[in-house]
Amino acid sequence: MYKVVTVYKRKPGMDVEVFQRRWLEGHAPLVAMLPGLRRYVQSHSLVQGYRKGDLPCDGISEMWFDSREAWQRAMADPAAATVQSDETAFIDPLRKVVMPVEALVIKDGEIPLNAVKNIEFVNRRPGMELNAFRTYWRAVHGPLASQIAPLRRYEQNHLQLHEYAEGRPAPAFDGLAITWFDSTAAMKDGATTPIYAQTRADEANFLPDGHLPFIVTREREIRLG
């Protein structure tokens, strides 16, 4: 399956809950009609996450197709023009990021009902070669992070290599780290463990200094048309 992630930020001045309702109730049915779409999930930032200020984005969508070609055909269909036109009513187009990704399951656990989904926006350390970054993230950091006890499921989403082709603009992100927990409390408990401390210390080997941008969300599976 070929997966495409889209990162969304609401229009300036729009209330978060208004954005979420519009995205879910008005926009999702249009996306669900795209030809060849096999699965569609929206992940909405938790409203309580805005208590200390705005977030780097308000949510992501994940779409699955049989192949890259199937995605490209869907994007050329008139239904895609309807989707894109509708987006202008509620998203900031300058902050929309489309990311075809290769999804790698690092910990294949069951996702609990009402789980929280943590999404980290990943870039490699400045000066680090792309293949070295991808290998280290997958083979070294991933297995370490997967040992954090409350973590239920862990996926790395690596940006597809064709997105780095010569002549293309530099990607906004090299990938996404997506983890699921029973609750925000369980996620906070995980951050107190020795393995978490080791995981954070290991970030210096392949990530930029400082915290990665992230959002904590709940996902909504959309019924396809």
Side-chain angles (χ1 to χ4, degrees):
M1 296 284 276
Y2 189 81
K3 181 179 176 182
V4 180
V5 174
T6 305
V7 182
Y8 288 112
K9 187 68 183 172
R10 69 193 187 280
K11 291 183 71 170
M14 178 175 274
D15 180 80
V16 173
E17 291 177 288
V18 171
F19 162 80
Q20 291 183 345
R21 189 161 54 249
R22 177 67 175 77
W23 184 24
L24 180 64
E25 298 176 3
H27 191 67
L30 300 178
V31 177
M33 298 301 294
L34 288 173
L37 181 63
R38 299 303 185 190
R39 187 181 177 216
Y40 174 39
V41 172
Q42 291 183 354
S43 295
H44 294 232
S45 297
L46 300 184
V47 175
Q48 58 264 38
Y50 295 86
R51 289 173 184 164
K52 295 182 180 179
D54 208 5
L55 298 177
C57 70
D58 299 308
I60 70 166
S61 74
E62 295 163 277
M63 299 188 298
W64 287 261
F65 295 87
D66 287 336
S67 63
R68 184 185 183 196
E69 292 72 24
W71 172 56
Q72 292 173 325
R73 287 194 296 270
M75 293 301 99
D77 191 90
T82 301
V83 167
Q84 292 162 4
S85 176
D86 186 66
E87 287 179 347
T88 64
F90 67 100
I91 75 158
D92 182 346
L94 298 178
R95 300 180 70 177
K96 175 184 173 182
V97 181
V98 179
M99 299 177 59
V101 297
E102 178 187 2
L104 304 175
V105 178
I106 306 300
K107 182 175 181 178
D108 191 11
E110 183 177 353
I111 300 173
L113 186 67
N114 293 322
V116 295
K117 179 179 181 180
N118 186 58
I119 302 165
E120 294 182 300
F121 300 88
V122 178
N123 285 106
R124 65 189 184 275
R125 194 166 189 79
M128 189 172 193
E129 194 271 331
L130 179 61
N131 285 336
F133 158 78
R134 290 163 67 97
T135 299
Y136 192 94
W137 186 20
R138 181 188 70 249
V140 179
H141 188 76
L144 178 63
S146 69
Q147 298 176 57
I148 297 172
L151 189 155
R152 289 300 196 103
R153 182 178 176 85
Y154 174 23
E155 290 183 7
Q156 292 179 359
N157 289 253
H158 294 234
L159 191 67
Q160 291 279 356
L161 288 174
H162 55 67
E163 293 297 298
Y164 297 93
E166 186 175 352
R168 295 184 63 89
F173 308 109
D174 291 312
L176 304 172
I178 303 181
T179 49
W180 287 260
F181 297 84
D182 286 342
S183 63
T184 54
M187 189 167 64
K188 291 175 182 177
D189 287 345
T192 66
T193 62
I195 287 293
Y196 178 84
Q198 293 176 40
T199 300
R200 289 302 310 275
D202 183 61
E203 291 176 356
N205 293 314
F206 73 113
L207 299 179
D209 294 332
H211 290 282
L212 294 175
F214 74 96
I215 54 174
V216 183
T217 71
R218 280 199 173 89
E219 62 180 25
R220 293 164 171 81
E221 182 95 21
I222 308 300
R223 184 186 299 274
L224 300 184

